[in-house]
């Protein structure tokens, strides 16, 4: 085991000691009751966006989910589930979190049945009729659709999947729901019943994990140079407008400032959670005293020292965009240690404004709105904006009301602690070796990875499909944005075809390419073989773009584009 791993384990053990010493506060934080309108409001918006996300795939339902598309059920099972049939193989896929009934049901109408069930259940979940059952069916049907074919997945799907699990665990039908209205009709008067807070608070932590992890993984290359935003807005698959001329007029210092600001909002977003927990704790508990205080302080600083040691050894995590292990460790000590110092002082200080959730939620909302305006990544930005709703509050706090029995709260507190440890152990791309944590994440349908745009692409890569007839006459099929007629100057809609093409052009996509080629053979009668090629060109650097006054995309494509063969597929 490496020094960094040993320090990491020691830090986790120290944090567990803190939780044990503060177990009363730990249990009350998760299991106190709160106004149901907070989670119910999120349910309505989230379910609507979930419907929009799935229905946005409608043009490609056959390609993705039907036997006449990329994969038959057996082929999809081999690619994403269990290679064998039978109950044992299906149970294994279920435990691994990649099970779909569509892997075993090879019928032209199978997907239609699952889709109808999903649509009906999600609508019922949104309006709050039979909310808990409808939510569970929504989750199961969504899983069936997702795992039929992964080629279209974006970070969007992972956000929907993880937050849907937490939402289904909540009692989100106690407000803004037909169920609540029916209860009032039956004579149950008064305010909505209080609900356990732990699902919404898990969402708070989860959102901070998404933001902070995404920011921390942006630690080299274009992020250090300050060019990341430029390359993101020059990437053809996602930029909404071709604005190379505008980018050429932005000074490099200003572009670097925008890049570092965007990264800092993500990296430091967890300060909002510090503010929420700090205010909550002060309102309910007196300051620690005596031996307990000493033990908590020592364990906390041991955990922080271990984290700083990891940063000193590995250079990560980098809260500041500087390639220096010493500065990485110092930034961690100042930020985390400073936050602890601010919230353990006897009197409130002006420094607490740094932890005001309204500041960070507002900054994140501005960031996602700007990205939504400039970049076309489907429903990712809307759903991330929706998740910010979990930070809002409705009604007064209810300090004394706790859910469940003491024994259930104790067991639940342990499970939540393990869940958070499992996320921490698996969320980093290099942490796949933690088998027990990965199995838990897969089984609970909360497996995740948040390295979105950790390495902004500096090359535009497209998928070119060429059909050859028996006489070897070639016809290029309209498959990607390298064709000018497919990419107008301003693309307001979002076609998931571009994501599919991007995935197929990547190096590790062999299992998808043959399926796509088979589908092209079926949809283009008379075709003898299909060639899939990657067409790519290096995006001009910011300096080159400024020297050109804004490069012409089509001219650069003609000058720099190269091709390489990905697949030569003979049609049956």
């Amino acid at each position: 085991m490496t020094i960094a791993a040993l320090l990491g384990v020691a830090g986790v053990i120290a944090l567990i000691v803190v939780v044990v010493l503060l177990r009363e506060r730990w249990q009350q934080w998760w299991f106190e009751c709160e106004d149901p309108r907070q989670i119910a409001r999120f349910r309505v918006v989230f379910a609507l966006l979930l419907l929009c996300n799935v229905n946005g795939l409608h043009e490609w339902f056959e390609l993705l989910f039907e036997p006449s598309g990329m994969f038959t059920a057996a082929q999809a099972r081999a690619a994403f589930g269990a290679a064998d049939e039978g109950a044992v193989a299906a149970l294994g896929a279920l435990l691994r979190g990649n099970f779909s009934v569509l892997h075993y049901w090879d019928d032209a109408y199978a997907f239609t049945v699952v889709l109808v069930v999903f649509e009906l259940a999600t609508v019922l979940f949104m309006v709050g009729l039979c909310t808990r059952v409808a939510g569970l069916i929504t989750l199961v049907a969504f899983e069936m659709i997702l795992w039929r074919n992964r080629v279209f997945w974006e970070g969007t799907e992972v956000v929907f999947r993880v937050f849907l699990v937490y939402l289904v665990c909540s009692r989100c039908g106690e407000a803004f729901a037909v169920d609540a209205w029916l209860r009032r009709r039956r004579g149950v008067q008064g305010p909505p019943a209080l609900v356990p807070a732990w699902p919404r608070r898990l969402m708070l932590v989860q959102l901070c994990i998404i933001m902070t992890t995404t920011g921390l993984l942006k630690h080299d290359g274009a992020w250090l140079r300050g060019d990341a935003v430029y390359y993101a807005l020059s990437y053809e698959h996602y930029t909404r407008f071709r604005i190379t001329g505008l980018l050429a007029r932005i000074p490099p210092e200003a572009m670097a400032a925008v890049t570092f600001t965007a990264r800092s909002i993500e990296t430091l977003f967890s300060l909002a959670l510090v503010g929420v927990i700090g205010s909550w704790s002060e309102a309910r508990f007196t300051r620690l005293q005596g031996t307990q205080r000493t033990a908590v302080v020592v364990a906390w600083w041991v955990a922080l020292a271990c984290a700083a040691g990891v940063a000193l050894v590995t250079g990560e995590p980098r809260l500041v965009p500087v390639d220096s292990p010493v500065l990485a460790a110092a930034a961690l000590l100042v930020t985390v240690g400073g936050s602890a110092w601010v919230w353990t002082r006897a009197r409130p200080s002006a420094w607490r404004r740094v932890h005001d959730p309204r500041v960070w939620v507002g900054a994140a909302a501005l960031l996602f709105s700007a990205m939504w305006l400039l970049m076309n990544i489907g429903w990712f930005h809307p759903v991330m904006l929706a998740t910010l709703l979990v930070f809002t509050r409705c009604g007064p706090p209810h300090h004394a009301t706790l859910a469940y029995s003491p024994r259930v709260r104790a067991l639940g507190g342990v499970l939540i602690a393990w869940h958070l440890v499992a996320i921490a152990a698996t969320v980093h791309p290099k942490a796949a070796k933690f088998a027990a944590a990965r199995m838990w994440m897969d089984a609970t349908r909360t497996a995740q990875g948040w390295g979105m745009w950790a390495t902004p692409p500096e090359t535009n890569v497209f998928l070119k499909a060429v059909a050859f007839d028996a006489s070897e006459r070639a016809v290029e099929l309209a498959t990607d944005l390298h064709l000018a007629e497919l990419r107008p100057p301003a693309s307001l809609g979002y076609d998931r075809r571009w994501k599919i093409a991007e995935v197929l052009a990547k190096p590790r996509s062999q299992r998808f390419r043959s399926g796509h080629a088979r589908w092209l053979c079926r949809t283009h009668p008379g075709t003898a073989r299909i060639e899939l090629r990657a067409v790519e060109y290096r995006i001009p650097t910011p300096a080159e773009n400024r020297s050109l006054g804004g490069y012409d995309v089509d001219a650069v494509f003609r000058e720099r584009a190269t091709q390489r063969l990905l697949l030569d597929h003979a049609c049956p």
Side-chain angles (χ1 to χ4, degrees):
M1 186 177 288
T2 64
I3 295 176
L6 287 172
L7 288 171
V9 171
V12 170
I13 292 173
L15 288 177
I16 291 173
V17 171
V18 172
V19 170
V20 171
L21 292 170
L22 299 177
R23 55 188 175 276
E24 180 185 354
R25 301 187 185 206
W26 176 265
Q27 289 185 19
Q28 185 157 335
W29 161 257
W30 293 112
F31 299 116
E32 74 177 9
C33 293
E34 65 180 9
D35 193 307
R37 290 175 293 177
Q38 300 171 119
I39 194 69
R41 179 169 48 194
F42 176 66
R43 183 204 77 235
V44 175
V45 177
F46 183 87
L48 177 61
L49 293 175
L50 181 60
L51 282 170
C52 293
N53 183 60
V54 172
N55 288 323
L57 297 166
H58 70 277
E59 291 185 70
W60 309 106
F61 279 166
E62 179 188 356
L63 169 68
L64 296 173
F65 307 122
E66 297 181 6
S68 57
M70 289 179 67
F71 299 111
T72 64
Q75 291 165 342
R77 186 170 63 249
F80 309 110
D84 301 321
E85 293 189 31
V88 174
L91 179 60
L94 186 65
L95 293 176
R96 290 192 303 272
N98 58 358
F99 173 83
S100 174
V101 69
L102 297 175
H103 290 165
Y104 302 88
W105 187 7
D106 202 1
D107 188 275
Y109 299 102
F111 170 70
T112 302
V113 172
V114 173
L115 179 66
V116 169
V117 170
F118 168 80
E119 301 275 357
L120 292 175
T122 308
V123 169
L124 292 177
F125 189 51
M126 180 174 63
V127 301
L129 180 59
C130 302
T131 312
R132 306 205 77 168
V133 174
L136 182 59
I137 295 174
T138 297
L139 174 60
V140 172
F142 185 52
E143 282 277 297
M144 301 302 102
I145 293 170
L146 283 184
W147 283 103
R148 180 58 170 83
N149 190 342
R150 282 196 61 180
V151 70
F152 69 96
W153 277 35
E154 299 171 331
T156 314
E157 275 63 50
V158 185
V159 174
F160 275 115
R161 189 185 192 218
V162 172
F163 277 85
L164 183 56
V165 170
Y166 299 143
L167 196 53
V168 168
C169 291
S170 71
R171 289 173 54 191
C172 56
E174 298 292 337
F176 304 138
V178 175
D179 288 339
W181 176 76
L182 290 174
R183 280 192 293 273
R184 291 194 298 272
R185 287 290 302 269
R186 290 195 296 266
V188 180
Q189 302 299 323
L194 300 180
V195 299
W198 67 268
R200 186 183 69 85
R201 289 179 177 171
L202 264 179
M203 293 181 195
L204 289 177
V205 177
Q206 181 67 73
L207 178 56
C208 291
I209 290 170
I210 293 175
M211 297 287 286
T212 301
T213 303
T214 301
L216 290 176
L217 290 174
K218 296 172 178 174
H219 57 65
D220 54 14
W223 290 101
L224 287 182
R225 299 194 306 267
D227 299 336
V229 170
Y230 164 80
Y231 282 108
L233 296 177
S234 302
Y235 191 59
E236 286 285 286
H237 280 112
Y238 294 122
T239 183
R240 196 180 294 275
F241 308 104
R242 285 178 170 171
I243 55 174
T244 57
L246 175 61
L247 295 175
R249 291 191 287 273
I250 300 176
E253 297 80 9
M255 184 60 71
V258 171
T259 298
F260 296 153
T261 298
R263 181 187 183 277
S264 297
I265 291 172
E266 294 178 342
T267 303
L268 300 176
F269 184 81
S270 292
L271 292 178
L273 183 62
V274 174
V276 170
I277 295 176
S279 298
W280 171 87
S281 182
E282 279 194 340
R284 289 158 178 78
F285 300 98
T286 58
R287 295 185 68 202
L288 295 174
Q289 301 294 332
T291 305
Q292 185 185 27
R293 175 182 172 84
T294 302
V296 169
V297 169
V298 169
W300 168 254
W301 284 103
V302 167
L304 182 55
C306 290
V310 171
L312 195 60
V313 171
T314 66
E316 299 178 35
R318 297 179 190 169
L319 293 179
V320 292
V322 178
D323 188 8
S324 168
V326 174
L327 288 178
L332 192 65
L333 285 170
V334 169
T335 304
V336 181
S339 294
W341 176 78
V342 165
W343 285 99
T344 54
R345 293 184 63 187
R347 296 180 180 178
S349 68
W351 286 104
R352 293 192 180 183
R353 295 175 186 173
V354 177
H355 305 93
D356 189 338
R358 294 170 296 182
V359 172
W360 293 102
V361 169
L366 288 175
L367 175 63
F368 291 137
S369 298
M371 292 170 66
W372 193 9
L373 174 66
L374 296 173
M375 300 185 70
N376 202 349
I377 314 182
W379 295 96
F380 177 75
H381 297 126
V383 74
M384 289 304 296
L385 283 167
T387 59
L388 297 175
L389 289 173
V390 301
F391 268 93
T392 62
R393 293 193 306 175
C394 296
H398 303 272
H399 300 179
T401 307
L402 296 181
Y404 317 124
S405 67
R407 186 171 298 177
V408 171
R409 290 197 296 269
L411 177 60
V414 172
L415 287 176
I416 289 174
W418 163 243
H419 181 69
L420 297 180
V421 168
I423 294 177
T426 58
V427 74
H428 195 281
K430 298 178 183 178
K433 59 184 178 182
F434 294 96
R438 175 59 61 183
M439 290 174 60
W440 171 265
M441 302 299 289
D442 289 340
T444 58
R445 273 48 179 181
T446 52
Q448 53 196 270
W450 306 112
M452 293 85 75
W453 297 94
T455 304
E458 300 182 18
T459 299
N460 273 313
V461 183
F462 306 99
L463 180 72
K464 180 178 181 179
V466 183
F468 294 85
D469 61 16
S471 60
E472 284 295 294
R473 183 178 58 184
V475 176
E476 182 174 353
L477 307 179
T479 53
D480 210 348
L481 294 169
H482 63 288
L483 297 177
E485 62 268 22
L486 294 180
R487 181 63 163 87
S491 178
L492 298 179
Y494 180 62
D495 192 334
R496 195 64 72 100
R497 165 181 14 184
W498 314 136
K499 177 62 181 182
I500 297 170
E502 181 197 27
V503 171
L504 291 170
K506 287 183 176 179
R508 293 179 293 179
S509 299
Q510 290 87 347
R511 61 177 171 177
F512 298 118
R513 290 175 191 151
S514 58
H516 186 65
R518 285 193 297 268
W519 180 74
L520 291 174
C521 289
R522 285 193 292 269
T523 54
H524 294 82
T527 299
R529 65 184 181 92
I530 293 288
E531 280 189 1
L532 297 181
R533 305 171 185 169
V535 181
E536 55 191 359
Y537 71 87
R538 182 180 59 81
I539 299 171
T541 66
E544 291 174 326
N545 187 46
R546 286 192 295 272
S547 68
L548 294 171
Y551 70 89
D552 181 87
V553 175
D554 296 324
V556 169
F557 177 83
R558 289 192 298 269
E559 176 186 343
R560 300 186 178 184
T562 60
Q563 297 187 30
R564 52 187 170 86
L565 182 66
L566 298 174
L567 179 70
D568 188 348
H569 178 82
C571 296

